[in-house]
Amino acid sequence: MSEVQSVKYAVEDGVGVITIDNPPVNALGPGVREGIMQALANGNADPAVRSFVLIGTGRNFMAGADIRQFGGARPVSTRTSAAAIAASAKPVVAALHGYALGGGLEHALACHYRVAARNVRVGLPEVSLGIVPAGGGTQRLTRLIGPKAALEVIVSGRHVEASEALRLGILDEIVEDADLRAAAVQYALRAAEVRPLPSAQGDVLKPLPADELAALFEAARKSLSRKSRHLKAPLHALALVEAATSMSFDDGVALEQKLFEELENTDEAKALRYAFFAEREAAKIPGTSGLAQPEPVRSAAIVGGGTMGGGIAMAFADSGIEVKVLDMSQEALERGLKRIRDNYAVSVKRGSITQAQMDERLAKIRGVTDYAGIGDCDAVIEAVFERVELKQEVFAKLDEVMKPGALLLTNSSAIDIDVMAKATRRPEDVAGAHFFAPANVMKLCEVVRGSATRIQTIARTMKMARDLGKVGAVAGSCDGFAANRSRTPMMTEMMLMLEEGALPEQIDRIMVAFGYPMGPFAVNDMSGLDVSYEGRKRRAAADPEYRKLHIPDRMVEMGRRGQKTGAGWYRYAEGDRTPHPDDVVKQVIAEVANEFGIAQRTFSDDEILQRALFASVNEACRILEEGKAYRASDIDVMWLYGFGFPRHRGGLMYWADSVGTPAILAQVRQWHERYGKRWKPSALLERIAASGGRLRDAVPPQ
């Protein structure tokens, strides 16, 4: 056996087995590409070797390139090592398991055959990092599975599971996970004498007629110009799939390299790489080193079958976890379960899931009307209305019935965790699991630690979030926690700008132009204006100096609660969710301005954007000062996954660095003089501006 850094090579029954051994995920780090090429050279020169198997150790084949290498020099490119595989005179069989993504899949596509374990996930997710594949992946995949399927896989960047990959033609065979190595060696022996060797470098195997091909690319361009108008990478990916249908393989690969180089060091790609690493950093919880791996949550209960409770129940069912929904009346329970069934039915109608999948998921959800019926669950999540007394009552009952060690979690978006914890005799098991609406869709789960919460409780809740397919980030307990607390100033300033003469549709237009998928007022209509109304009432009762937001309060009191009542910041036709500007809103704005003597004026786009976001940057700094978040990058993760902040801008704090901390501080000071104490600059903002540091690197003071 010989070894070249992270690649091992051994001959077994006439098969040269090339093994990637680069933990933890077999990324294409230094030496891996070179090791593959050296092993191929050795085997092709050895008469005893008839064919090859390329396989990975551990849990993955190859999870892709080492993202830390992007933006820098790479001695050997994936394009070069993949070309060496494709040029092998002896057949190469890729044996795939776990993740085979990006450069990992590009190496597999260069192989002559691909066998896989059932647990495999393949894909070319480069567009999610603001780049395109550069190892021949766009050219080989399009030729292998046809332009229509390749376009969808490459432009979406999604992972494709084994059965779909086999159906599309990415895989040649699926084997049982435990048999992968032996099956691949046998496959390689059978393939040893087959000539000519199959290749994904010639003509497209599944071509389309010229008119269908033109229509496919035109429709894709229109869709991307609408959905991804701020991003360059998806349009470049489309161009490369199109090139694979009209250019030679070599010319297509040359274009692929050119477009990759154009994108690699753009602001878009740098921001998306930052977001990638910020998400992984958020999973690291200080104080957990040395702890045993947390036990998974195998069964859960949701208290409250309303919109949020139903969405959380669906998140569990979608992940294959048994979940009970508790409501105190059979009538309310039936309404909640019907809402869940209706939501799944819409997904079936859209084609995003099958009827069989809907039935399987519904079978995981059971309704109960008695607390005793949930006591054996590993975790319970309270999702009742945002009223302190009601939540305290629920937690007192949970304390009585839940088994020892169960997670007692609240979906509260703002109320101090200690308030609920004190209603129990086990505050160490109480934490926040704050989902975002719609809970079955939105990726963020803000895990909130109270003053008595055990670190093991936080670690287990974070694992639960990961098992649900969510991105978890930890916050300390305070009014609004980290996510909503940092966003509240943005929403407050927007409401106050309405009083001064701005309009909801103007603000929404500016935020969509900035990169949000929807404007904040349209989102507010979707979630319900009444959701934040209770929180404002609570804050006003607790603080005599609280600045009331008269316009949204009046909208709620008029019955304008958003889409569910047919009118909120916009009006909606029956059965139609399209927002239409409404003169009634203008009338309410005018009445409030007149009543309180607020002068009306016009706003520039820049002022609206900066006044909204600078307020939140300043508050995020206060959150860090108080130790209510572990890292500034955690707040960025919350904004990306909880509020739809434009991913190509990295996150709130990353974006703020692009503006410049001194410029932000100067503007905050001006607004402090004009508007008063809510704009007082945070000490952290002042320190970073003075030191020349970066907001994205900020952590609480030690």
Side-chain angles (χ1 to χ4, degrees):
M1 177 182 289
S2 66
E3 183 174 336
V4 179
Q5 295 186 13
S6 302
V7 177
K8 297 173 182 176
Y9 176 65
V11 179
E12 180 179 322
D13 296 330
V15 176
V17 180
I18 305 167
T19 305
I20 313 303
D21 186 12
N22 187 31
V25 295
N26 288 339
L28 286 162
V32 174
R33 298 174 183 87
E34 295 91 330
I36 293 171
M37 294 169 66
Q38 183 62 59
L40 287 168
N42 292 346
N44 273 295
D46 184 353
V49 173
R50 301 169 61 203
S51 54
F52 297 94
V53 165
L54 180 63
I55 194 168
T57 58
R59 296 167 61 182
N60 300 297
F61 173 68
M62 280 188 261
D66 185 342
I67 294 170
R68 291 166 297 189
Q69 292 184 315
F70 288 141
R74 288 175 291 279
V76 174
S77 68
T78 295
R79 185 176 73 260
T80 303
S81 50
I85 294 172
S88 172
K90 300 173 184 180
V92 185
V93 177
L96 313 180
H97 74 293
Y99 288 121
L101 303 174
L105 180 58
E106 288 186 294
H107 279 84
L109 291 170
C111 293
H112 305 100
Y113 304 96
R114 286 157 295 282
V115 300
R118 295 187 185 279
N119 71 351
V120 79
R121 296 290 184 274
V122 304
L124 295 173
E126 283 84 352
V127 290
S128 65
L129 294 171
I131 55 175
V132 291
T138 62
Q139 303 307 293
R140 290 190 176 95
L141 187 64
T142 304
R143 285 168 167 79
L144 191 66
I145 68 174
K148 186 174 183 181
L151 190 64
E152 194 279 325
V153 169
I154 296 169
V155 171
S156 70
R158 69 181 179 89
H159 299 175
V160 181
E161 52 84 30
S163 60
E164 184 185 2
L166 180 66
R167 177 175 57 79
L168 290 175
I170 299 173
L171 302 179
D172 295 297
E173 186 175 289
I174 295 175
V175 301
E176 295 306 319
D177 298 9
D179 302 332
L180 178 62
R181 180 188 172 95
V185 169
Q186 289 303 310
Y187 199 106
L189 287 171
R190 293 195 301 271
E193 305 305 323
V194 177
R195 295 295 185 277
L197 294 176
S199 170
Q201 296 184 188
D203 295 333
V204 175
L205 296 180
K206 300 178 182 179
L208 291 174
D211 56 340
E212 287 187 33
L213 198 60
L216 172 69
F217 292 128
E218 181 60 25
R221 261 186 288 275
K222 286 181 179 177
S223 176
L224 288 176
S225 66
R226 186 175 67 253
K227 293 179 181 177
S228 306
R229 59 192 177 281
H230 300 284
L231 305 176
K232 296 176 183 175
L235 281 167
H236 278 28
L238 185 157
L240 289 169
V241 174
E242 193 169 12
T245 68
S246 60
M247 290 183 177
S248 70
F249 179 80
D250 288 344
D251 286 347
V253 169
L255 179 63
E256 191 183 67
Q257 180 64 24
K258 176 177 178 290
L259 295 184
F260 171 83
E261 289 173 354
E262 279 183 18
L263 293 170
E264 185 178 14
N265 289 305
T266 60
D267 290 343
E268 173 186 326
K270 289 176 182 176
L272 290 168
R273 287 199 292 272
Y274 165 82
F276 175 89
F277 286 115
E279 178 185 333
R280 279 141 189 82
E281 194 69 19
K284 299 175 183 176
I285 310 167
T288 57
S289 61
L291 291 181
Q293 284 295 313
E295 283 291 312
V297 168
R298 296 183 176 89
S299 61
I302 315 298
V303 180
T307 302
M308 279 302 299
I312 298 169
M314 290 174 71
F316 278 97
D318 292 350
S319 301
I321 299 172
E322 301 276 350
V323 60
K324 297 175 182 177
V325 178
L326 170 66
D327 230 317
M328 296 317 295
S329 76
Q330 190 64 37
E331 182 183 1
L333 180 62
E334 287 301 327
R335 278 199 308 270
L337 295 176
K338 181 180 184 301
R339 188 182 298 111
I340 291 171
R341 286 193 299 271
D342 290 346
N343 284 338
Y344 276 133
V346 169
S347 296
V348 172
K349 188 175 180 180
R350 288 176 179 165
S352 51
I353 63 172
T354 65
Q355 182 64 49
Q357 287 174 315
M358 170 178 166
D359 295 341
E360 182 182 350
R361 294 174 191 191
L362 284 173
K364 298 284 185 186
I365 303 172
R366 185 157 68 88
V368 296
T369 56
D370 190 328
Y371 276 89
I374 66 171
D376 62 342
C377 292
D378 291 342
V380 58
I381 302 174
E382 165 274 307
V384 302
F385 207 64
E386 200 80 337
R387 289 197 181 121
V388 171
E389 301 81 5
L390 179 58
K391 291 181 181 289
Q392 289 173 317
E393 180 184 329
V394 168
F395 270 84
K397 290 177 179 174
L398 294 176
D399 188 42
E400 292 175 8
V401 303
M402 299 305 296
K403 68 182 181 182
L407 296 174
L408 308 185
L409 308 174
T410 175
N411 182 56
S412 174
S413 61
I415 298 171
D416 190 338
I417 300 301
D418 291 348
V419 169
M420 280 78 86
K422 287 174 182 174
T424 76
R425 292 161 294 178
R426 37 176 152 170
E428 67 277 5
D429 294 332
V430 179
H434 175 208
F435 293 80
F436 289 70
N440 56 310
V441 175
M442 295 298 285
K443 294 273 287 182
L444 180 65
C445 179
E446 184 182 25
V447 175
V448 189
R449 51 184 164 83
S451 60
T453 308
R454 289 188 307 163
I455 193 66
Q456 291 89 342
T457 299
I458 295 300
R460 194 178 183 201
T461 306
M462 284 285 281
K463 175 171 173 50
M464 181 193 78
R466 287 195 302 275
D467 290 346
L468 294 179
K470 304 299 183 185
V471 175
V474 179
S477 188
C478 55
D479 191 355
F481 316 138
N484 280 344
R485 178 179 163 185
S486 62
R487 189 171 182 261
T488 293
M490 166 180 156
M491 298 308 298
T492 296
E493 293 305 318
M494 287 180 178
M495 300 304 170
L496 296 179
M497 283 189 280
L498 294 185
E499 294 182 5
E500 297 171 40
L503 290 172
E505 54 266 32
Q506 178 189 13
I507 295 174
D508 275 1
R509 173 184 59 77
I510 291 162
M511 302 312 283
V512 169
F514 180 69
Y516 275 93
M518 291 177 67
F521 290 95
V523 170
N524 198 197
D525 274 356
M526 190 168 65
S527 59
L529 276 67
D530 51 327
V531 173
S532 53
Y533 178 71
E534 289 293 329
R536 290 196 298 274
K537 284 174 62 179
R538 179 168 49 79
R539 293 183 187 100
D543 180 5
E545 296 184 20
Y546 177 75
R547 171 56 161 94
K548 292 183 179 180
L549 301 179
H550 304 290
I551 294 173
D553 286 352
R554 290 197 186 178
M555 301 276 280
V556 173
E557 288 155 10
M558 291 167 65
R560 296 178 66 99
R561 302 185 177 193
Q563 288 184 6
K564 57 190 168 186
T565 59
W569 297 110
Y570 300 95
R571 58 181 171 79
Y572 300 86
E574 188 173 349
D576 184 6
R577 296 186 177 183
T578 305
H580 300 281
D582 195 341
D583 287 342
V584 173
V585 177
K586 295 178 183 178
Q587 184 179 338
V588 172
I589 291 171
E591 288 173 356
V592 168
N594 183 60
E595 185 176 334
F596 291 93
I598 301 169
Q600 301 292 280
R601 64 188 182 89
T602 58
F603 287 84
S604 70
D605 290 3
D606 284 347
E607 181 180 0
I608 286 176
L609 181 69
Q610 292 179 1
R611 189 163 151 192
L613 293 181
F614 288 3
S616 282
V617 170
N618 196 37
E619 188 64 25
C621 289
R622 290 195 186 100
I623 290 167
L624 287 162
E625 283 173 19
E626 296 169 20
K628 299 301 183 182
Y630 289 136
R631 298 161 281 258
S633 60
D634 288 2
I635 296 174
D636 280 342
V637 167
M638 294 176 190
W639 277 63
L640 290 168
Y641 287 105
F643 304 134
F645 190 85
R647 193 172 178 85
H648 68 283
R649 297 190 185 275
L652 177 70
M653 304 297 263
Y654 184 94
W655 169 80
D657 283 333
S658 73
V659 176
T661 314
I664 292 174
L665 177 61
Q667 184 60 75
V668 167
R669 283 173 171 164
Q670 285 183 29
W671 282 329
H672 182 214
E673 291 179 11
R674 181 172 180 175
Y675 294 113
K677 71 174 187 178
R678 74 177 190 270
W679 277 99
K680 182 181 179 181
S682 72
L684 181 63
L685 182 65
E686 291 181 320
R687 281 201 305 274
I688 291 176
S691 69
R694 301 190 307 188
L695 285 166
R696 75 187 80 160
D697 299 328
V699 295
Q702 301 300 314

